[in-house]
Amino acid sequence: MALQLPTLSGCVTRFNSSVCSIPGRKFSTFATLSRRRSDTTNWAEATSSFFDQDKRPIMLFDGVCNLCNGGVKFVRDNDRNKTIRYEALQSEAGKMLLRRSGRAPDDISSVVLVEKDRSYIKSEAVLKIMEYIDLPFPQLAIVLQFVPLFIRDFVYDNVANNRYTIFGRSESCEI
């Protein structure tokens, strides 16, 4: 469901694309609300076995992205208590967990942190991951939460959209 903004005439326009033009004016969609998919509950049940024996959250990452693989290695190195599990978005388990999170199974646009009852994407996922790893990252996450979400996600999206250009990609999933 896209954000709705009133037009000058008082009517409400629903934005389904990233830019909507009204004669003489141009508006951009700056927020999108995700609608809860009806099959999310089914996917939660289908993937509940991922959390039966092991309650640790699962970090989903782009397995062919060099930046993402470096991020996983960084988290592993700073997670002495091994509080996070890892799964590539391209794997079958990763695709199932994406569906559980209400995302398309081929959506590799964001890191996703999946907990038993909730999922986080983009900058919220990064901050939540920081809360799980060793000092000083949980404290840094608290400070960064004061930065508005739209600014954090704007920075995240710009890095994510250029990750292959800047950092390259590997031929196959690593980690």
Side-chain angles (χ1 to χ4, degrees):
M1 166 194 288
L3 182 66
Q4 297 179 348
L5 296 175
T7 62
L8 293 176
S9 64
C11 300
V12 176
T13 303
R14 181 178 299 268
F15 294 95
N16 290 325
S17 62
S18 60
V19 177
C20 177
S21 295
I22 296 175
R25 301 214 182 258
K26 193 177 220 181
F27 293 95
S28 295
T29 303
F30 59 88
T32 304
L33 305 174
S34 46
R35 186 176 289 158
R36 195 133 179 95
R37 295 186 183 174
S38 60
D39 65 345
T40 302
T41 305
N42 297 338
W43 283 105
E45 292 169 6
T47 57
S48 64
S49 64
F50 290 122
F51 296 97
D52 284 347
Q53 301 293 322
D54 193 343
K55 305 290 186 219
R56 295 177 300 158
I58 303 169
M59 177 181 168
L60 302 178
F61 65 98
D62 181 353
V64 297
C65 166
N66 290 337
L67 173 64
C68 306
N69 286 316
V72 169
K73 289 175 186 172
F74 177 83
V75 171
R76 269 193 188 159
D77 291 345
N78 290 283
D79 184 14
R80 280 181 269 163
N81 296 327
K82 309 225 181 294
T83 55
I84 298 177
R85 296 180 282 169
Y86 310 90
E87 190 66 50
L89 289 163
Q90 293 88 344
S91 70
E92 287 306 312
K95 291 175 184 179
M96 289 173 66
L97 288 165
L98 275 173
R99 283 194 166 162
R100 173 193 178 108
S101 303
R103 300 178 68 81
D106 60 346
D107 183 358
I108 60 169
S109 66
S110 173
V111 64
V112 180
L113 185 71
V114 183
E115 294 178 336
K116 182 178 181 178
D117 299 321
R118 183 163 181 203
S119 298
Y120 302 87
I121 62 167
K122 297 186 181 188
S123 68
E124 285 188 319
V126 173
L127 293 184
K128 192 66 176 175
I129 291 165
M130 290 171 71
E131 291 177 17
Y132 280 103
I133 62 178
D134 303 333
L135 294 174
F137 297 103
Q139 291 76 9
L140 183 58
I142 291 169
V143 171
L144 290 174
Q145 286 176 346
F146 289 105
V147 176
L149 179 63
F150 76 94
I151 294 173
R152 291 191 328 247
D153 280 350
F154 175 79
V155 172
Y156 183 95
D157 287 337
N158 279 299
V159 172
N161 291 338
N162 295 296
R163 68 187 186 268
Y164 296 137
T165 305
I166 298 169
F167 299 97
R169 62 188 297 158
S170 57
E171 294 299 317
S172 61
C173 289
E174 293 182 22
I175 306 290

